[in-house]
């Protein structure tokens, strides 16, 4: 893709973005004329709150390999899936279906059987994506190696078989790292440490033992004997976003800004005196702005929309029942605020 330097505001006083380098897997840019809180918020959102697709449920029909079902299911969940136009996919909690459907999930099937004497490797390319899905992109395994094989799922010997049905859902990395859109987000400011936010530990010479980064060339060197400015604040930040392939790096940044806008809009509406009962995740405010959340996050009624696989013997229909009794918040040592209607 082609990147051109762009400015979000024509004036020097407004936020400005300068893209220094970029390709299909990473983008290197500077963000200026904003404060540290804004820049760090954008970094945290890109790491943990940009929605993507990942395999969340695995139905094992046959597995005669040497690997346990849970081991293979974990490996399947970490395979990056194309998340282009992921906004077309509903969160599971927002869908009217019982567990999953073509509007809130993508179905992938895996069937491999070794019939020869040589060891057979099962790759991500062997996952077959169902045609019924929200759009033509979501759910396709990301394959970037020159051979076009993708990640290794497992190895099979003669007579061993693997047959599974995988359900990919929309989620965010705050719930599980398999939904992470990036492998890393490089973040730096004040490369010369003029603000003294860092206290370098060194043995003899801090300048030699702590070499400067490439970003130091973008700013002026500190002058010898220059007085310290106690009111100085950082205003130039250096980002390097590396995507894992499910989203293009520029899309990750744009989606991060979008999520930040949604969060700020929800806060502004609450401060402006929104309707009672609109209390963040559990209320209508978050739903109105369609903020990111996990597939089985807290539902609108205050309970938890769990799949059957997460049910325990203590979930007796009362919500938060424990081994010591019902969901009323009672323990052998007396009542507690936990579980009460007016408690926590």
């Amino acid at each position: 893709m082609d990147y051109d330097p762009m400015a979000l505001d024509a004036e020097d006083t407004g936020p400005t973005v300068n893209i220094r380098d970029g390709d299909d897997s990473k983008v290197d840019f500077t963000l200026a004329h904003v404060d540290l809180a804004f820049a760090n918020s954008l970094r945290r959102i890109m790491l943990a709150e940009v929605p993507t697709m990942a395999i969340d449920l695995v139905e094992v029909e046959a597995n005669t390999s040497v690997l346990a079902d849970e081991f293979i299911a974990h490996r399947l969940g970490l395979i990056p899936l194309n998340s282009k136009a992921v906004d077309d996919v509903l969160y599971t909690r927002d869908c009217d279906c019982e567990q999953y459907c073509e509007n809130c999930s993508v179905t992938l099937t895996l069937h491999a059987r070794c019939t020869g004497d040589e060891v057979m490797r099962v790759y991500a390319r062997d996952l077959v994506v169902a045609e019924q899905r929200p759009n033509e992109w979501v759910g396709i395994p990301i394959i970037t190696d020159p051979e076009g094989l993708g990640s290794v799922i497992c190895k099979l010997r003669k007579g061993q078989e693997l047959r599974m049905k995988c359900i990919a859902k929309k989620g965010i990395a705050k719930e599980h790292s398999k939904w992470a859109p990036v492998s890393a987000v490089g973040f730096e400011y004040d490369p010369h440490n003029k603000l003294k936010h860092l206290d370098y530990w060194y043995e003899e010479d801090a300048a030699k033992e702590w070499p400067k980064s490439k970003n130091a060339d973008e700013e002026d060197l500190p002058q010898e004997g220059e007085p310290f400015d106690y009111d100085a604040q950082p205003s130039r930040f250096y980002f390097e976003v590396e995507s894992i392939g499910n989203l293009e790096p520029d899309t990750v940044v744009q989606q991060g800004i979008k999520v930040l806008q949604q969060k700020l809009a929800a806060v502004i509406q609450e401060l402006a005196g929104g309707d009672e009962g609109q209390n963040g995740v559990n209320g209508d405010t978050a739903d109105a702005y369609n903020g990111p959340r996990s597939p089985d996050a807290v539902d609108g009624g205050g309970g938890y929309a769990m799949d059957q696989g997460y049910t325990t013997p203590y979930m007796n229909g009362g919500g938060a029942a424990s081994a010591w009794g019902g969901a009323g918040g009672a323990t052998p040592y007396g009542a507690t605020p936990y579980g009460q209607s007016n408690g926590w």
Side-chain angles (χ1 to χ4, degrees):
M1 70 188 69
D2 295 329
Y3 290 99
D4 295 322
M6 61 180 180
L8 299 180
D9 196 313
E11 299 180 1
D12 292 340
T13 56
T16 58
V17 176
N18 179 36
I19 298 178
R20 302 188 294 181
D21 187 24
D23 54 32
D24 292 338
S25 61
K26 64 180 182 298
V27 60
D28 186 350
F29 67 95
T30 60
L31 177 62
H33 304 138
V34 298
D35 58 17
L36 177 58
F38 177 88
N40 191 50
S41 297
L42 179 60
R43 177 191 68 87
R44 290 170 62 93
I45 288 175
M46 287 190 294
L47 282 170
E49 297 193 53
V50 173
T52 62
M53 296 292 294
I55 293 175
D56 191 44
L57 298 176
V58 177
E59 300 175 4
V60 181
E61 300 176 10
N63 177 22
T64 57
S65 70
V66 298
L67 299 181
D69 295 347
E70 296 82 1
F71 194 98
I72 297 179
H74 181 264
R75 293 182 65 84
L76 289 169
L78 296 179
I79 295 176
L81 304 179
N82 195 326
S83 301
K84 183 178 180 180
V86 73
D87 290 340
D88 295 340
V89 184
L90 296 176
Y91 286 98
T92 301
R93 62 171 297 225
D94 294 334
C95 193
D96 297 330
C97 64
E98 290 292 334
Q99 190 175 23
Y100 58 84
C101 67
E102 60 188 34
N103 295 322
C104 64
S105 66
V106 176
T107 301
L108 302 91
T109 56
L110 177 63
H111 188 192
R113 180 180 177 85
C114 181
T115 58
D117 295 331
E118 299 294 329
V119 174
M120 174 184 175
R121 290 176 173 82
V122 182
Y123 295 96
R125 68 170 183 182
D126 299 318
L127 289 166
V128 180
V129 185
E131 295 181 359
Q132 294 79 16
R133 46 193 168 132
N135 60 50
E136 60 181 311
W137 302 289
V138 293
I140 300 177
I142 298 298
I143 299 175
T144 58
D145 58 293
E147 294 79 12
L149 301 175
S151 306
V152 177
I153 298 174
C154 71
K155 298 178 181 179
L156 301 177
R157 294 299 297 266
K158 186 175 182 179
Q160 293 180 342
E161 182 181 9
L162 196 64
R163 188 165 67 251
M164 296 181 171
K165 179 181 179 181
C166 309
I167 308 300
K169 295 184 179 182
K170 179 180 176 181
I172 58 174
K174 183 182 285 187
E175 174 70 14
H176 195 285
S177 60
K178 64 186 178 184
W179 280 296
V182 295
S183 57
V185 176
F187 179 73
E188 186 183 20
Y189 66 92
D190 188 25
H192 294 293
N193 198 28
K194 294 180 180 179
L195 303 177
K196 305 300 181 183
H197 286 186
L198 295 177
D199 185 11
Y200 293 120
W201 180 92
Y202 61 93
E203 294 181 347
E204 296 180 358
D205 188 353
K208 294 181 179 179
E209 298 174 23
W210 293 91
K212 303 298 181 183
S213 68
K214 64 178 182 180
N215 300 321
D217 298 334
E218 302 282 339
E219 300 187 8
D220 297 333
L221 291 171
Q223 300 298 321
E224 187 71 24
E226 180 181 0
F228 181 74
D229 185 359
Y230 289 91
D231 297 325
Q233 296 292 334
S235 62
R236 186 180 181 87
F237 305 91
Y238 305 92
F239 286 84
E240 189 166 355
V241 180
E242 183 177 347
S243 170
I244 65 171
N246 49 11
L247 287 173
E248 293 181 339
D250 62 329
T251 304
V252 174
V253 178
Q254 294 170 7
Q255 288 293 319
I257 296 173
K258 178 181 177 181
V259 172
L260 183 57
Q261 289 175 331
Q262 292 170 348
K263 286 177 170 290
L264 293 175
V267 171
I268 291 173
Q269 180 166 334
E270 287 293 323
L271 294 177
D275 295 338
E276 294 183 2
Q278 295 182 352
N279 52 359
V281 176
N282 295 332
D284 298 331
T285 302
D287 293 338
Y289 295 98
N290 194 27
R293 54 230 171 185
S294 63
D296 298 312
V298 181
D299 62 17
Y304 287 87
M306 292 186 177
D307 293 324
Q308 294 181 358
Y310 293 92
T311 305
T312 69
Y314 308 111
M315 293 294 289
N316 299 322
S322 69
W324 304 106
T331 72
Y333 308 103
T336 69
Y338 308 104
Q340 302 287 356
S341 59
N342 60 348
W344 296 350

